[in-house]
Structure formats: C-alpha cells, structure tokens
Amino acid sequence: MDIGKRIVVHRLFEIDGVELEFEEDALRQIAKEANERKTGARGLRAIMENVVMDLMYEMPSDEYMSKCLITKGVVTGEEEPIITYSDKPR
C-alpha cells in the first residue's frame, strides 16, 4: 500500500465515494516542502490538507465526481487537480 492510501484525507474522500490518488512526484514535493519547513508529520498532514481543501468542500455537492488525481503541479499551485467524472451519480 502506498502512502497515498494511508493518509487521513484519503479516507475523507473515500467516505464520499471519490477515489483520491497522489502521483509519486506529488508525494515527493509534499515531503520536500515539509522538510524545508522542518515540520515533520504534522507538516505533511497540513500540506496535504491544504492541497485538497477546496476539493473537500466541492466534492459532496458534485455527485458525479469519481476520482481526483493530485500531481506535483497541484502541490506547487501551478495546476488544478485532474478530476474524473462518472456518468452516474455516486
């Protein structure tokens, strides 16, 4: 199981029926930022939550959202998450 499956925010998405996936480069960028801030595990969590905060509010109202992919560009603020939609509501 990769780190993306073990994080708290992953479980929050799972509860709403949306698969959350982090690309390897995104996870490395999150770890790099936490290391630069010297914040440890709490910093990792805070950075991850910041990355998906808007999605956590948007997700419950969008019944067709089925998957969300977080890339390095999302973590650095240069890109939007890649959202996959289903043709059936969750």
Side-chain angles (χ1 to χ4, degrees):
M1 180 185 308
D2 68 318
I3 191 169
K5 300 244 183 244
R6 290 180 266 161
I7 58 174
V8 173
V9 293
H10 180 270
R11 181 66 182 130
L12 295 174
F13 275 70
E14 193 175 75
I15 288 170
D16 280 321
V18 177
E19 181 183 352
L20 176 63
E21 183 178 336
F22 286 83
E23 287 187 343
E24 188 69 30
D25 286 345
L27 293 173
R28 290 184 192 285
Q29 182 64 32
I30 290 168
K32 179 182 174 187
E33 289 183 20
N35 190 41
E36 288 172 355
R37 297 178 190 181
K38 300 185 187 319
T39 55
R42 288 180 191 232
L44 284 170
R45 181 178 174 181
I47 294 166
M48 286 189 158
E49 287 176 350
N50 188 47
V51 167
V52 297
M53 186 64 66
D54 290 341
L55 289 166
M56 288 192 297
Y57 287 106
E58 179 184 326
M59 181 178 42
S61 63
D62 188 342
E63 295 179 351
Y64 293 90
M65 185 185 295
S66 63
K67 182 177 178 181
C68 177
L69 177 64
I70 305 297
T71 63
K72 180 180 178 181
V74 175
V75 176
T76 60
E78 299 166 357
E79 299 175 357
E80 293 293 318
I82 299 169
I83 306 294
T84 303
Y85 295 93
S86 172
D87 48 347
K88 297 179 183 177
R90 323 186 277 276

